Amino acid sequence: MLYVEDNPANLMLVEDLVARRTDIRLLSARDGNRGIEIARASLPDVILMDINLPGISGVRALRILAEDPATAHIPVVALSANAIPRDIEKGLEAGFFRYLTKPIKVNEFMETLDVALRFAHAELARAAREEQA
Ligand code: MN
């Protein structure tokens, strides 16, 4: 999983939460452009994306990833302090797989990761079947 986040406190919290999960290896980036670079190089199963980032926003980064055939299949979960319903609606319209708000709710966070990982693995299995066909 790749987490794109400029706030060290949020990054540390997610590192702590994910440390309990032996099935997840966490990569991180501090801004959107670096996040895109790492996503292209590492092809993570799932991306967790802050919205308010230095340089390009999380929404812009999502669009760039979605336009790249190499990364378009990766579910991108927004994790943002922008928590009013209009923000969430806009985020989902932009194409985020799910939209989570800060502060992080541990149960919701873990469940969303599971859903996104299952989605990612189903996509990989489907791509593998198509390759064989
Ligand atoms: Mn931020």
Side-chain angles (χ1 to χ4, degrees):
M1 176 170 90
L2 167 65
Y3 184 22
V4 186
E5 172 64 80
D6 61 320
N7 180 322
N10 284 317
L11 181 58
M12 277 171 60
L13 174 56
V14 168
E15 278 172 355
D16 283 350
L17 292 173
V18 169
R20 305 175 194 171
R21 301 274 306 245
T22 54
D23 60 328
I24 299 176
R25 189 166 62 93
L26 185 64
L27 305 171
S28 65
R30 291 296 179 88
D31 66 68
N33 284 315
R34 184 81 187 113
I36 291 164
E37 275 177 34
I38 295 175
R40 285 176 173 154
S42 305
L43 300 177
D45 290 340
V46 173
I47 298 172
L48 196 57
M49 182 79 77
D50 183 25
I51 304 283
N52 297 316
L53 289 163
I56 63 170
S57 74
V59 174
R60 180 84 194 107
L62 167 71
R63 294 214 172 98
I64 292 169
L65 292 167
E67 283 165 11
D68 182 341
T71 53
H73 65 285
I74 302 171
V76 183
V77 175
L79 180 58
S80 178
N82 303 344
I84 62 168
R86 184 68 194 120
D87 292 327
I88 298 172
E89 200 180 300
K90 268 165 59 186
L92 293 172
E93 277 168 18
F96 284 108
F97 181 76
R98 293 284 187 282
Y99 191 109
L100 301 179
T101 57
K102 295 171 184 168
I104 294 171
K105 275 74 75 188
V106 174
N107 287 341
E108 178 194 53
F109 177 77
M110 289 301 190
E111 282 166 22
T112 301
L113 281 193
D114 284 332
V115 172
L117 284 168
R118 277 201 298 275
F119 175 87
H121 296 155
E123 282 289 291
L124 288 175
R126 194 183 53 77
R129 277 197 307 277
E130 270 174 20
E131 242 166 60
Q132 281 176 358

